[in-house]
Amino acid sequence: MKSRSLPAASAAVAVVFFLSATALPAATAIVEHTFVVSQVNMTHLCKETLVTVVNGQLPGPTIEVTEGDSLAVHVVNKSPYNITIHWHGVRQRLNCWADGVPMITQCPILPNHNFTYRFEVAGQEGTLWWHAHVSCLRGTLHGAIIIRPRHGADLYPFPKPHREIPIIMGDWWEMDLAQLDRDFMNGSVFDHPNASTINGKLGDLFNCSGAVEDGYVLDVEPGKTYLLRVINAALFSEYYLKIAGHKFTVVAADANYVNPYTTDVVVVAPGETVDALVVADAPPGRYYMVAQPSETPPPDPPIQVFVTRGMVRYKYAHDSGNGGATLSSGRSEEEEEGAPPSDDVPVAPEMPDKYDTMTSFYFHGNLTSLHQPCRPLVPAQVDERLFIALGMGTVCRRGQSCKRSGSDESIQVATMNNVSFQLPAAVAAPLLEAQYYNHNNTAGGGVELYTLPDRPPRAFNFTDRAMINWGPEEAPLEPTKKATVARRFRHGATVEVVFQSTSLLQSDSNPMHLHGHDVFVLAQGLGNYDAARDVARYNLVDPPVRNTVRVPRLGWVAVRFVADNPGIWYMHCHYEFHLSMGMTALFIVQDGPTVDTSLPPPPVNFLTCDHDNSLIQDEFYLQTKESEVSHINGVRKLR
Ligand SMILES: *[C@@H]1O[C@H](CO)[C@@H](O)[C@H](O)[C@H]1NC(C)=O
Ligand SMILES: *[C@@H]1O[C@H](CO)[C@@H](O)[C@H](O)[C@H]1NC(C)=O
Ligand SMILES: *[C@@H]1O[C@H](CO)[C@@H](O)[C@H](O)[C@H]1NC(C)=O
Ligand SMILES: *[C@@H]1O[C@H](CO)[C@@H](O)[C@H](O)[C@H]1NC(C)=O
Ligand SMILES: *[C@@H]1O[C@H](CO)[C@@H](O)[C@H](O)[C@H]1NC(C)=O
Ligand SMILES: *[C@@H]1O[C@H](CO)[C@@H](O)[C@H](O)[C@H]1NC(C)=O
Ligand SMILES: *[C@@H]1O[C@H](CO)[C@@H](O)[C@H](O)[C@H]1NC(C)=O
Ligand SMILES: *[C@@H]1O[C@H](CO)[C@@H](O)[C@H](O)[C@H]1NC(C)=O
Ligand SMILES: *[C@@H]1O[C@H](CO)[C@@H](O)[C@H](O)[C@H]1NC(C)=O
Ligand SMILES: *[C@@H]1O[C@H](CO)[C@@H](O)[C@H](O)[C@H]1NC(C)=O
Ligand SMILES: [Cu+2]
């Protein structure tokens, strides 16, 4: 019987039931967790801040499964907010209902309500993560998902590590994150975090009133190999991670194995994960682990970002040791037997320049898929091609015309092909349910979906730097609009998307995340995409496969995926301010011709959006039954 050990203080209950009593190592299990969402006070930088967390922890609990296992996560919402949890990167095959996007795939879990997410984690190995998908609350509501090979860790396509450690990058905000979301939606770009964190700790670069913040410490034994499962859960920044005196061997990204890539810097954009091996092969001592945000250089508007650091600490040979890394840290343990003497000054790594964005470009460019027998091939035929320009614009607060270029009369928003996403107003049911039952939302009839255009409506020099700061080149391009942007795909269609980052009002990179599918990343480049030149550069042999694709600053990336998972899937930038400002679209994948290729009905105890559940529930069950019948007959079709 497996068991999960969790801090005694937390309300976590994690139990594993084997489906088969004669459990072979390969048997699949149902892994259960209880996530109690509540608010707690945490003190950093001499200030008490009320934060919303799972089971009192930041980061939240780690979910560990074996490939093929099922998960049941009971969410108990004791916070004052509507909550949903998204299982970032979990493909949710034929199970879009569990994807956790409020009012798209489900009604939110209201305060003092519960909901159980049930899903399988199949055909994926490595590191994923979970996070709230409501406003900016994911800044403190997140944790790791570790998926091990079904037949044991011996079957990793790399030497078995001595220990595996989640390294979660985050940012610390002294403000109420719900307010932060309101600010972003109101076009405010002035808020900034107060610190960066590694596994929830700010580190010794931060202090107040003489007190230095705790840092994350990884205790290592000489000669042993450690697997770092690096996750960027920050709202705000991409990070460069280095450990003085050590190299990383990257072995996976977004729960897909890559050809081993040895580097002294790991780059994680928000939403991405990177699995990297580190061998403790340096002279025993103390080495800083530094995470530095990458910044866009002027003339981009300056943003306030922070470097954070933790430490890798060697145990000396005479130390009896208790098995390696712990989450403990701080000066108190420094004198303990086996720790290096404290007069040995920790070694600091040399970091890239803060405006160096090419280190990220090269890091991403060096990843290729590991050859495995069951690895899917890149589809050669393309059925649909999209070119999506990512940028900024403004909409008027009132009426059709207004002063722009920084005026209070307009709101700054983020766009894809010149349209900025908004949730439909006042809908009675999530869009997925409305579509499934083919009934219209109330309040003003059907939800009007605006079709994401195939390409930008106007041609312009996407990467013209003169547009960054309200230049005259930018002014005519600035007006844009809000709509519920969606794009439908026939089941099984092969879709090629070229994402182009633009210099409209800023020149950020854009980590684009697609729910429900992984994509092949065929090529990236700087400047404007030019099919005549760039198609020849596509890697159709072993491109990396990811759920989050970093579109370089002032550059582009080309991806392909097969739209074979029916449902309504969010496709959005994982910079929280871009997401809140509307850099989102819905990818609607239609049912296939058979039951095996069609979305089943919602789970029986699915949440309704109405507080008074009783009546609705009856109707709801009725509809479920009806549709099951037609579903089995194969006549039901998504519009
Ligand atoms: C957080 O601290 C504030 C002020 O000290 C206090 O009023 C509040 O009750 C605390 N909340 C929780 C959940 O502990
Ligand atoms: C939610 O779950 C908790 C813990 O299991 C239970 O005590 C509570 O009664 C449940 N609340 C509702 C509204 O079902
Ligand atoms: C934290 O950041 C906010 C801006 O978001 C700022 O107003 C505040 O002064 C900062 N706090 C500290 C301790 O620097
Ligand atoms: C405290 O932080 C400031 C910068 O924020 C730094 O200059 C100073 O050296 C730090 N003090 C200590 C004791 O670490
Ligand atoms: C791989 O990284 C190296 C070193 O940063 C760089 O010179 C090279 O261009 C990168 N390769 C690709 C394909 O990006
Ligand atoms: C939104 O921004 C405008 C202009 O900056 C400001 O006047 C207004 O108070 C803001 N509204 C909210 C709700 O924050
Ligand atoms: C849904 O709305 C559309 C137009 O808004 C209308 O044509 C259609 O008949 C409606 N369907 C149902 C089932 O009410
Ligand atoms: C686009 O703008 C860039 C940078 O401002 C410039 O170098 C490039 O020549 C322009 N391209 C075209 C096609 O005008
Ligand atoms: C977006 O559309 C508006 C309205 O048609 C237009 O004025 C503006 O130039 C367009 N901007 C871009 C970047 O295409
Ligand atoms: C929470 O969700 C309910 C039901 O969908 C909705 O009526 C309510 O406005 C939401 N509350 C907030 C604060 O968003
Ligand atoms: Cu973005």
Side-chain angles (χ1 to χ4, degrees), residues 252-461:
D254 295 2
N256 288 290
Y257 293 118
V258 299
N259 285 307
Y261 168 54
T262 301
T263 170
D264 62 359
V265 60
V266 158
V267 183
V268 272
E272 292 183 333
T273 73
V274 171
D275 290 0
L277 297 170
V278 174
V279 183
D281 57 2
R286 296 185 301 158
Y287 298 87
Y288 281 123
M289 172 193 287
V290 178
Q292 173 182 293
S294 70
E295 274 178 71
T296 45
D300 266 61
I303 52 164
Q304 181 92 50
V305 297
F306 298 91
V307 180
T308 179
R309 72 184 178 193
M311 189 183 285
V312 168
R313 185 171 63 183
Y314 278 67
K315 285 180 175 261
Y316 277 108
H318 66 262
D319 180 24
S320 52
N322 60 0
T326 66
L327 272 170
S328 70
S329 75
R331 323 262 136 193
S332 56
E333 285 187 21
E334 227 154 72
E335 307 306 328
E336 128 202 345
E337 195 204 359
S342 48
D343 59 352
D344 123 40
V345 179
V347 186
E350 197 178 311
M351 297 307 288
D353 185 83
K354 65 174 184 171
Y355 293 137
D356 169 358
T357 51
M358 287 311 287
T359 293
S360 175
F361 185 81
Y362 292 138
F363 178 87
H364 286 86
N366 269 284
L367 300 183
T368 49
S369 275
L370 184 69
H371 177 77
Q372 286 184 297
C374 52
R375 188 179 77 192
L377 298 176
V378 183
Q381 290 292 323
V382 174
D383 301 313
E384 302 219 32
R385 287 176 204 276
L386 296 180
F387 181 96
I388 303 179
L390 308 167
M392 291 276 175
T394 57
V395 295
C396 294
R397 286 185 194 279
R398 270 167 228 88
Q400 295 297 308
S401 69
C402 59
K403 286 208 196 97
R404 299 180 189 262
S405 297
S407 158
D408 273 358
E409 289 183 17
S410 54
I411 305 181
Q412 193 172 325
V413 298
T415 61
M416 289 190 203
N417 285 350
N418 202 12
V419 52
S420 177
F421 185 83
Q422 70 181 3
L423 277 171
V427 287
L431 290 188
L432 185 62
E433 227 178 313
Q435 172 172 272
Y436 184 84
Y437 295 116
N438 203 15
H439 67 205
N440 289 327
N441 284 284
T442 53
V447 172
E448 247 179 68
L449 299 180
Y450 178 94
T451 303
L452 177 70
D454 285 359
R455 45 192 53 256
R458 282 177 76 153
F460 61 101
N461 183 350

Side-chain angles (χ1 to χ4, degrees), residues 38-42 48-53 55-58 172:
S38 72
Q39 293 193 299
V40 299
N41 282 315
M42 289 190 177
E48 193 174 63
T49 307
L50 193 60
V51 295
T52 311
V53 294
N55 298 349
Q57 301 167 238
L58 179 60
W172 175 252

Side-chain angles (χ1 to χ4, degrees), residues 418 457-458 460 476-480 504:
N418 202 12
R458 282 177 76 153
F460 61 101
L477 295 166
E478 190 180 316
T480 189
L504 288 165

Side-chain angles (χ1 to χ4, degrees), residues 76 112-114:
V76 179
N112 296 313
H113 284 66
N114 300 344

